[in-house]
Amino acid sequence: MTETPEKPLFDDEAIEAARITFARPAVFMMGAVKMDGLPPPDLPEVAFAGRSNVGKSSLINALVGQNHLARASNEPGRTREVNLFVLDEQIRLVDLPGYGFAKASKTATKDFQNLGRAYLRGRPNLKRVYLLIDARHGLKKVDDEALDALDLAAVSYQIVLTKADKLKPAEVDKVTAQTIKAIARRPAAFPRVVATSSEKGAGLPQLRAEIILACKT
Ligand SMILES: Nc1nc2c(ncn2[C@@H]2O[C@H](COP(=O)(O)OP(=O)(O)OP(=O)(O)O)[C@@H](O)[C@H]2O)c(=O)[nH]1
Ligand SMILES: [Mg+2]
């Protein structure tokens, strides 16, 4: 068996171990509005970033199998703080405010987006950022800007496609391949792209395994 960047390859054991960890209790720890309000960097963290409404909060809920842990909503700009959740007392999952959203007051938007940026640049225990992209839309200009910033800050990130249930499997494969191609030369990008559906569960076992692996390294 060879590993190709298109197909995340984890053996059954890794998938099962990740499933067990994510089935353990996940609790809300805190919402921080300032960098100095964050807890000490004493546990590995993975963060979920991406455009407003792309499905960050929903994905966290789906990964841990709890519908109401992170607040998901139809209303873009729902998550305005850096929200931290602790899984099994060993990994922190971090829900970041979304970008590319213009409806809130300009200053407020700027404030919470700056906080997201500061978090991404300045968190020593941040193991990986999951940059979420709506599978229906693929990478947009505003996403490229986020990727530029992550590359510049040398923060390791991996692209996760969301809402795959809204597309046919062949279309999901096509967007996945296009995305892999688009990030190939980006220095801080992880080469595997995971297509997920928080609604239907597709891709979640692989993503759980990716997160466990990222936290071990
Ligand atoms: N069909 C489908 N809808 C989804 C999926 N994930 C999220 N959604 C919907 O997309 C909308 C936004 O989801 P959220 O999880 O709140 O998005 P967010 O990225 O946290 O948004 P902000 O906090 O505003 O940045 C909600 O109406 C969700 O129900 C999915 O996998 N499939
Ligand atoms: Mg949210």
Side-chain angles (χ1 to χ4, degrees), residues 82-137:
V82 171
N83 284 316
L84 298 108
F85 306 91
V86 186
L87 172 63
D88 193 27
E89 295 175 8
Q90 50 166 319
I91 295 173
R92 279 200 288 256
L93 307 173
V94 181
D95 191 7
L96 292 173
Y99 53 76
F101 156 66
K103 218 169 155 199
S105 95
K106 282 253 159 63
T107 352
T109 312
K110 239 189 166 160
D111 280 355
F112 69 73
Q113 295 193 344
N114 284 342
L115 173 66
R117 264 193 286 269
Y119 171 85
L120 291 173
R121 275 197 308 257
R123 196 67 176 154
N125 54 332
L126 178 58
K127 295 294 184 179
R128 190 176 295 161
V129 176
Y130 292 92
L131 202 293
L132 276 49
I133 302 292
D134 190 317
R136 293 169 298 177
H137 309 316

Side-chain angles (χ1 to χ4, degrees), residues 9 14 18 29-30 41 47 71 73 89 95 97 103-105 116 118 121 127 135 154 161 195 215:
L9 262 191
M29 184 187 183
M30 65 185 304
R71 274 178 82 188
S73 154
E89 295 175 8
D95 191 7
K103 218 169 155 199
S105 95
R121 275 197 308 257
K127 295 294 184 179
L161 300 176
C215 286

